[in-house]
């Protein structure tokens, strides 16, 4: 398992699977994950372009911030004590795919 994924799971208070096994997510979670990243990247990229960045720069900024949102959401879920709820687990799965 990738170090980043194991770190994020531990940060959120979850126990990562054993070394060598990979988590399997359903089609619904994968679709939601891709949609979340693309919409977040597009929104942030459009805002960055509106603020005057070139298209390439706006795309990079949007993509980077969309991917870094995972850490923020994990911290919020951990602070609220909701990492082990059904909704919290779905949110974490979507962000980690």
């Amino acid at each position: 398992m990738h170090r980043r994924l194991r770190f994020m799971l531990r940060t959120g208070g979850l126990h990562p699977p054993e070394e060598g096994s990979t988590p399997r997510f359903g089609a619904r979670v994968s679709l939601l994950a891709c949609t979340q990243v693309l919409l977040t990247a597009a929104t942030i990229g459009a805002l960055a372009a509106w603020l005057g960045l070139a298209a390439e720069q706006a795309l990079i900024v949007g993509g980077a911030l969309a991917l870094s949102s995972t850490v923020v959401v994990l911290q919020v879920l951990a602070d609220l004590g909701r990492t082990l709820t059904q909704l919290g687990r779905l949110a974490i799965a979507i962000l980690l795919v």
Side-chain angles (χ1 to χ4, degrees), residues 61-80:
V61 167
L65 291 178
L67 293 175
S68 68
S69 67
T70 302
V71 176
V72 175
V73 172
L74 279 174
Q75 186 60 49
V76 170
L77 286 172
D79 289 346
L80 296 174

Side-chain angles (χ1 to χ4, degrees), residues 8-75:
M8 286 187 200
L9 287 172
R10 284 193 184 124
T11 301
L14 302 174
H15 300 286
E18 293 298 319
E19 204 54 56
S21 67
T22 57
R24 296 179 188 218
F25 303 105
R28 176 178 158 218
V29 171
S30 296
L31 179 62
L32 288 171
C34 291
T35 303
Q36 181 264 338
V37 169
L38 290 175
L39 288 176
T40 304
T43 302
I44 294 171
L47 179 64
W50 181 75
L51 291 172
L53 289 179
E56 296 84 14
Q57 293 170 333
L59 181 64
I60 291 170
V61 167
L65 291 178
L67 293 175
S68 68
S69 67
T70 302
V71 176
V72 175
V73 172
L74 279 174
Q75 186 60 49

